[in-house]
Amino acid sequence: MDKIMICIIGSGNWATTIARNVGRNVMNSQTLDEKVPMYVYEEIVEGRKLTEIINTTHINSKYMPNFELPPNIVAVDDIVTTARDADIIIFAIPPTFVSSCCKTLLGKVKPTAHAVSLIKGFERGDDGQFVLISQIIMRQLKIPCSVLVGCNLAHELAHDHFAEGTVGCRDQKYYRVLHDIFRSPTFRVVVTEDADCVEICSTLRNIIAFAAGCSDGMELNENTKGGIIRRGFLEMLQFVDVFYPGCRMGTFFESCGISDLVTSCYANRNRKLAEAFVKTGKPLSELEHILIPGHEPLGPVTAELVHHMLKKKGLEDKFPLFTTVYRICTGDYPLQRLVETLIKAREDIFHPLHTFQL
């Protein structure tokens, strides 16, 4: 039987971190091909090609200089060469490059291939709503796409500190293999079929992390941040119930849900951006270029798109925290409105057909 071949698209810190796990795991498998091609956007680092550095030293000197890759991770500077023979294609690139990469790969990958997105983000749809990254990959490459997200910071995972991840798998035959290629002795991986919920949780937490950053910027107490997390988690539940019906309640209590949310409210670029926004008084458009160069400010952007979706259904008042964050970003609400929202928010759970008292 032919062995399953895996490739990785991307070579940033998260791609390199997960490549260490994948590379180690395939070497200990009887069913997985030992060689793992990794697409590297070619750059010159200290006078040498990055692919050459990785393939000779087994160190990604630009993005993860202090960590060694397994020797079976092979850097490749051509994305088609990287992916054309792969049975599992792992995407770990910035969300802004997903569409262009998929257009390049269209018709060049196995029709039976299975994609996995490790990308936290989304694209803005023509109707003003957000489109999940896995949906973009499936639509453009015409292959299934699972997702891996959760409570995992790249540098902590690279140091072999405990971390967790949730795989939302769209094909049951890949349940075991996806679990086995990503896990490590310190990285706990749980697989669920609830792929949409796994991914949408990682998107909505950006709004709540921004609110937590505003709280930090105003130097409010930890109880206030706890209230933001609690209210934000409640609105995550409501949002998924309204716009992605059929998701499983248990998914919210996996790493992709509550764990990733709490971590994001303490260690996340959206939290950092919001804190600076409050303390400096500078516009978000100016701060994002300073604090998160090359990255879209997902907190404000997510808040805008979520508000658009809520407004179309007339549900802004049912999601007071999401609405308040959006209006703080636009300058329509003062920062003090954040605490007022927590105080005045109704204690019930909105459902499209019922309202449940807590």
Side-chain angles (χ1 to χ4, degrees), residues 1-19:
M1 184 179 71
D2 291 338
K3 291 188 174 183
I4 297 171
M5 186 172 186
I6 301 166
C7 79
I8 299 170
I9 306 298
S11 58
N13 58 352
W14 182 220
T16 304
T17 298
I18 212 68

Side-chain angles (χ1 to χ4, degrees), residues 69-299:
L69 285 162
N72 58 327
I73 300 294
V74 180
V76 182
D77 64 1
D78 181 76
I79 191 171
V80 174
T81 302
T82 304
R84 64 187 175 195
D85 296 322
D87 300 291
I88 297 176
I89 305 171
I90 300 171
F91 285 86
I93 54 178
T96 49
F97 297 126
V98 172
S99 288
S100 60
C101 286
C102 286
K103 288 177 183 176
T104 302
L105 291 172
L106 179 61
K108 308 291 176 58
V109 301
K110 290 183 176 180
T112 56
H114 189 96
V116 185
S117 171
L118 276 57
I119 303 164
K120 294 182 177 181
F122 51 85
E123 278 196 5
R124 189 190 301 260
D126 294 335
D127 57 357
Q129 300 184 183
F130 54 69
V131 183
L132 300 178
I133 296 297
S134 66
Q135 294 172 347
I136 296 169
I137 294 171
M138 288 191 291
R139 184 178 66 226
Q140 295 199 8
L141 290 186
K142 315 215 181 322
I143 59 175
C145 183
S146 297
V147 297
L148 168 65
V149 296
C151 182
N152 41 67
L153 300 171
H155 65 279
E156 293 190 0
L157 188 59
H159 278 99
D160 293 322
H161 297 160
F162 176 75
E164 295 180 306
T166 310
V167 173
C169 184
R170 287 194 165 90
D171 189 335
Q172 285 191 349
K173 73 178 182 180
Y174 285 96
Y175 270 35
R176 173 52 59 183
V177 67
L178 294 185
H179 172 271
D180 290 347
I181 64 174
F182 291 124
R183 66 167 298 279
S184 78
T186 56
F187 185 38
R188 177 180 180 268
V189 175
V190 171
V191 183
T192 174
E193 64 184 19
D194 203 6
D196 279 347
C197 188
V198 169
E199 193 168 7
I200 197 65
C201 282
S202 74
T203 300
L204 295 175
R205 51 111 200 190
N206 293 308
I207 304 175
I208 305 156
F210 191 89
C214 289
S215 174
D216 291 341
M218 289 187 283
E219 299 183 353
L220 302 178
N221 63 344
E222 291 298 325
N223 286 333
T224 301
K225 185 182 279 192
I228 289 169
I229 294 171
R230 183 197 67 81
R231 181 69 212 181
F233 184 64
L234 177 61
E235 293 189 17
M236 283 174 60
L237 291 170
Q238 293 182 166
F239 186 90
V240 172
D241 202 24
V242 173
F243 293 96
Y244 296 86
C247 292
R248 299 160 67 177
M249 178 67 74
T251 305
F252 292 97
F253 297 93
E254 292 294 347
S255 177
C256 62
I258 187 66
S259 297
D260 196 19
L261 171 60
V262 172
T263 302
S264 297
C265 289
Y266 285 89
N268 176 276
R269 63 172 64 103
N270 292 289
R271 189 217 64 80
K272 180 180 179 182
L273 177 68
E275 182 179 27
F277 171 65
V278 173
K279 287 186 172 181
T280 67
K282 294 180 179 179
L284 287 168
S285 57
E286 179 181 338
L287 289 170
E288 67 184 75
H289 296 299
I290 300 171
L291 298 176
I292 51 174
H295 296 278
E296 193 171 30
L298 293 179

